[in-house]
Amino acid sequence: MQIISPYLNIMIKACEKASKILIRDFGELENLQVSKKGPKDFVTNSDKKVEKILIEELLKHKKNFSVLSEEEGLISNIDKNNKWIIDPIDGTNNFLHGIPHFCISIALESYEDIVSGIIFDPIKNEMFYADKNQGTYFNNHRVRVSKKMNLEECLFATNKIGSSIDQLNCRITGSAALDLAYVSSGRFDGYFQNNLNLWDIAAGILIVKEAGGIINNINLSSYKNLSVVASSSEIYEKMIKIIPNF
Ligand code: LIP
């Protein structure tokens, strides 16, 4: 019997509400005003609208919780031990190029531990979620990481290309959160990437672990330039022997 925490219920409802805007704007891509935030990072109006809806919905139920979000940054609140960690659109570049591979990612960090997480792909209507010690679910079905043992049979997600990993079969998808979600359900056998932000991966950290996966230790107090290695226990050691040092 699947029982989800009140926090996860709040996160699911916030995603469902915000995703309506995301789906509409994705369909009207050419009308989006884009304001340049930096060489690589474009901020869309959608990004900000979705973030605003998510923050409003989450704080409606837990008004004292703090927030760390991609556009707003850190909103320190009365309760500094509980923090919503939000990426309103993970896969922003895919979104802007009309590629239907992006998601909303929300995590709840409580006393320096990720206790609930959700990754929702509104275009494919695929929702991955977990509460700590309760397992990982994909559209209401329990999922587990890959059982493959041989690297030759594996498919990895990364953004690292180069000779040292030519022996691995890799994909670069543009969404760290969905990469981690796909590891949790066995679509990818492993994932490794560096130079990530905490909001890209916070939900995925728990979702991989609760699906029986292994993930390197992530320092939740640093928000930028994070490295992630995630897979099943069967191939974790084999994988890290091959991938470049981060
Ligand atoms: C993105 C990550 C992706 C990474 C991009 C960017 P955003 O997050 O999901 O894996 O390669 O550089 O960081 O900016 O779309 O939320």
Side-chain angles (χ1 to χ4, degrees):
M1 172 65 180
Q2 185 190 144
I3 297 168
I4 62 172
S5 67
Y7 299 122
L8 194 49
N9 202 37
I10 293 166
M11 296 154 86
I12 290 171
K13 299 237 181 307
C15 277
E16 287 168 345
K17 181 168 183 177
S19 62
K20 292 180 173 56
I21 298 288
L22 214 41
I23 293 167
R24 189 201 64 195
D25 283 359
F26 185 67
E28 298 168 19
L29 211 51
E30 62 277 3
N31 304 328
L32 279 185
Q33 300 300 316
V34 174
S35 62
K36 252 197 165 191
K37 190 170 87 175
K40 275 191 179 177
D41 216 2
F42 292 88
V43 174
T44 67
N45 286 347
S46 270
D47 212 342
K48 291 178 179 175
K49 277 186 284 185
V50 168
E51 182 180 69
K52 184 171 181 293
I53 291 169
L54 291 171
I55 291 173
E56 282 171 358
E57 283 303 303
L58 294 168
L59 292 183
K60 194 191 294 180
H61 298 276
K62 289 291 172 184
K63 64 181 180 359
N64 295 333
F65 281 17
S66 296
V67 176
L68 171 67
S69 190
E70 183 169 32
E71 303 309 322
E72 281 291 330
L74 179 63
I75 305 171
S76 198
N77 207 340
I78 296 168
D79 184 344
K80 298 190 178 1
N81 293 311
N82 287 288
K83 187 191 302 166
W84 300 114
I85 302 176
I86 303 168
D87 192 344
I89 307 178
D90 187 71
T92 310
N93 255 339
N94 291 343
F95 180 84
L96 280 181
H97 287 82
I99 298 169
H101 190 73
F102 53 87
C103 63
I104 295 172
S105 179
I106 307 173
L108 174 59
E109 180 191 317
S110 185
Y111 293 88
E112 297 176 0
D113 191 21
I114 305 293
V115 295
S116 295
I118 182 170
I119 295 168
F120 180 44
D121 176 337
I123 303 299
K124 303 184 203 67
N125 194 27
E126 293 191 336
M127 187 177 280
F128 302 80
Y129 53 91
D131 279 316
K132 191 172 174 69
N133 301 324
Q134 299 300 319
T136 292
Y137 290 83
F138 163 53
N139 287 4
N140 298 318
H141 299 287
R142 188 79 184 259
V143 289
R144 305 261 317 157
V145 293
S146 161
K147 293 194 174 3
K148 293 201 188 72
M149 307 285 282
N150 302 319
L151 289 184
E152 302 72 43
E153 297 164 7
C154 292
L155 182 64
F156 296 92
T158 183
N159 76 328
K160 303 293 294 175
I161 44 182
S163 57
S164 57
I165 51 170
D166 276 358
Q167 53 197 300
L168 296 179
N169 192 1
C170 294
R171 296 291 181 273
I172 301 176
T173 75
S175 170
L178 285 174
D179 289 341
L180 288 165
Y182 287 16
V183 169
S184 79
S185 57
R187 289 178 177 173
F188 282 134
D189 302 289
Y191 168 58
F192 52 96
Q193 186 167 340
N194 58 7
N195 197 25
L196 290 164
N197 302 310
L198 182 58
W199 44 83
D200 297 328
I201 61 173
I205 292 168
L206 180 71
I207 285 168
V208 165
K209 284 181 182 172
E210 287 299 319
I214 291 184
I215 198 160
N216 60 304
N217 187 37
I218 305 287
N219 177 3
L220 297 179
S221 57
S222 52
Y223 302 156
K224 297 260 182 191
N225 198 27
L226 297 168
S227 295
V228 171
V229 182
S231 73
S232 67
S233 52
E234 284 79 4
I235 58 167
Y236 190 84
E237 292 305 324
K238 295 174 189 171
M239 184 168 92
I240 56 175
K241 283 195 183 107
I242 291 179
I243 61 178
N245 297 323
F246 284 158

